[in-house]
Amino acid sequence: MDAKIVLLPGDGIGPEVVAEAEKVLNAIASTFGHSFDMPRFPMGGNAIDSHGDPLPDETLEACLASNAVLLGAVGGPKWDDPNAKTRPEAGLLRIRKEMKLFANLRPIRTYSALLASSPLRPEIVEGVDILFFRELTGGIYFGPSGRREGENGEEAFSEMVYSTSEVERIVRLAAAAAQNRKGKLTSVDKANVLEVSRLWRQTATKVVNEEFSDLKFDHVLVDAMAMHLISRPGDFDVVVTGNLFGDILTDEGSMITGSMGMLPSASIGSDGPGLYEPIHGSAPDIAGQGIANPLATILASAMLLRHSLNLEEEASLIEKAVDDVLAAGHRTKDLARGGASLSTTEMGAQVLAALNQA
Ligand code: IPM
Ligand code: MG
């Protein structure tokens, strides 16, 4: 297969972890006889510095013309001034919208080798395997917002808006995924308070009843979900929710596994290239030290092969290599709990070695 995979290393530890995933993709290409063209483009804070724009036109065009995009992370204190003209995060929101990536898949999967890294008791964490579908191009992130003069001075507002078609398409994707997993779908909303959530719930119910009646389906209020994720995370299979609730719950969920450094994510639309990235941010505090955990980005490259290039065998091989490396006791600093730890490139090299043995 010939594929064009655009690399957006971004800021902070982004370039360090993307470099390791690139090596893994090259290894897969040579083993399986694929040809991956992997050009790098600026995005985020570095693109603000070089182009005055966190998502330069040439970057967006290259992404739209690619088969898939692998992103490291964007942002950092250098670009945090609240009065700045633009911010790295604006580039992220824009690329999601321009590439029509309405579904953000965030798997929360525990590794038995890492059970001790979780802040939760091992018996709660063991076997947790949740797949979040976070709506990514609508809701309060993209609704009308602004400032105005109110009766008591200046006010600000950000509106949460969802149309039935936006809810339908994300619920369909999540429900289809649940059919291939444990057959359980949970929709999360705040229907006891918000009108937008009442439409969400009504629409989700209709889609599931009409098209996926074989699923076990329930609704959970977002505040209750925040509790259940900690008290009984093992009860969930596929969870579908809106943009803001999904942002918050997936950060909470990532802590179940003990390290954000392990979690990949995929952002996809109905067709066209998808965007793959680790869940963690640019971690400016450890950038440049060569100690970041590259596994989330390596696992994101596996999701990329699976979802955008349909290369299931190659994807599983990468995931198995990561399992093997962890089972063999290799750890980066975030996972080492004070014990011996590998650098970013050493961890990447271990994954390559495990791939070669598979
Ligand atoms: C995420 C991040 C982004 C979001 C920020 C950086 C804009 O938190 O991908 O979850 O809120 O969507
Ligand atoms: Mg977030």
Side-chain angles (χ1 to χ4, degrees):
M1 167 181 296
D2 280 0
K4 180 163 180 181
I5 302 173
V6 167
L7 303 180
L8 305 176
D11 307 317
I13 61 170
E16 300 167 45
V17 293
V18 166
E20 298 312 305
E22 182 185 24
K23 291 178 201 165
V24 167
L25 287 168
N26 276 325
I28 289 287
S30 74
T31 308
F32 288 85
H34 303 310
S35 159
F36 297 155
D37 175 22
M38 296 190 273
R40 282 176 161 68
F41 282 86
M43 164 157 179
N46 64 86
I48 296 180
D49 291 348
S50 61
H51 291 70
D53 181 351
L55 182 64
D57 291 344
E58 62 186 73
T59 299
L60 179 60
E61 279 159 28
C63 291
L64 289 169
S66 72
N67 297 100
V69 179
L70 184 68
L71 169 69
V74 299
K78 183 173 175 200
W79 306 283
D80 259 351
D81 177 2
N83 297 315
K85 254 193 13 248
T86 182
R87 300 171 52 100
E89 290 81 0
L92 196 55
L93 296 185
R94 189 157 160 247
I95 201 171
R96 289 171 178 170
K97 197 74 171 173
E98 299 275 358
M99 293 179 71
K100 302 186 170 54
L101 307 171
F102 65 84
N104 183 211
L105 283 61
R106 295 187 166 184
I108 311 280
R109 193 197 134 192
T110 54
Y111 292 82
S112 29
L114 297 180
L115 279 187
S117 306
S118 173
L120 301 179
R121 288 198 307 276
E123 67 268 28
I124 292 186
V125 177
E126 178 104 65
V128 166
D129 182 4
I130 307 175
L131 179 55
F132 270 93
F133 277 76
R134 167 190 177 193
E135 200 290 327
L136 203 59
T137 52
I140 197 166
Y141 274 58
F142 293 96
S145 72
R147 301 207 178 189
R148 63 192 170 207
E149 262 326 293
E151 272 171 32
N152 304 308
E154 190 182 22
E155 294 178 348
F157 62 97
S158 299
E159 252 181 68
M160 192 186 288
V161 182
Y162 272 116
S163 65
T164 48
S165 60
E166 284 175 309
V167 181
E168 281 163 8
R169 64 185 182 181
I170 184 89
V171 170
R172 272 195 194 106
L173 274 191
Q179 282 181 326
N180 290 319
R181 291 170 46 104
K182 290 183 221 139
K184 220 177 139 184
L185 178 65
T186 303
S187 172
V188 175
D189 62 38
K190 187 71 186 172
N192 54 345
V193 177
L194 304 177
E195 193 56 35
V196 60
S197 280
R198 287 191 275 271
L199 181 73
W200 178 285
R201 188 175 283 217
Q202 176 191 329
T203 308
T205 305
K206 188 161 181 279
V207 168
V208 173
N209 285 349
E210 287 176 2
E211 300 167 37
F212 302 91
S213 54
D214 55 319
L215 292 181
K216 257 190 92 190
F217 177 54
D218 62 352
H219 302 276
V220 177
L221 294 171
V222 62
D223 48 349
M225 189 66 188
M227 285 194 310
H228 300 329
L229 267 184
I230 298 298
S231 60
R232 49 181 187 87
D235 287 353
F236 298 97
D237 179 17
V238 176
V239 178
V240 62
T241 190
N243 207 342
L244 180 64
F245 300 157
D247 178 46
I248 299 166
L249 291 176
T250 54
D251 263 25
E252 187 193 357
S254 74
M255 276 295 107
I256 299 172
T257 65
S259 172
M260 266 196 148
M262 291 302 304
L263 299 178
S265 82
S267 301
I268 58 178
S270 5
D271 46 33
L275 178 125
Y276 302 82
E277 57 181 313
I279 268 191
H280 62 68
S282 58
D285 52 321
I286 60 162
Q289 297 178 30
I291 57 169
N293 182 349
L295 294 179
T297 312
I298 289 172
L299 291 166
S301 72
M303 291 188 91
L304 180 157
L305 295 179
R306 174 176 295 120
H307 292 284
S308 282
L309 304 184
N310 226 341
L311 299 176
E312 175 59 39
E313 188 187 348
E314 290 84 338
S316 307
L317 208 64
I318 295 175
E319 287 162 352
K320 180 165 182 315
V322 169
D323 279 349
D324 291 349
V325 164
L326 291 172
H330 300 298
R331 303 283 185 268
T332 40
K333 192 153 182 254
D334 54 311
L335 305 173
R337 299 162 41 92
S341 61
L342 300 184
S343 70
T344 307
T345 49
E346 286 166 344
M347 184 55 113
Q350 286 297 337
V351 175
L352 288 175
L355 271 178
N356 283 332
Q357 267 160 34

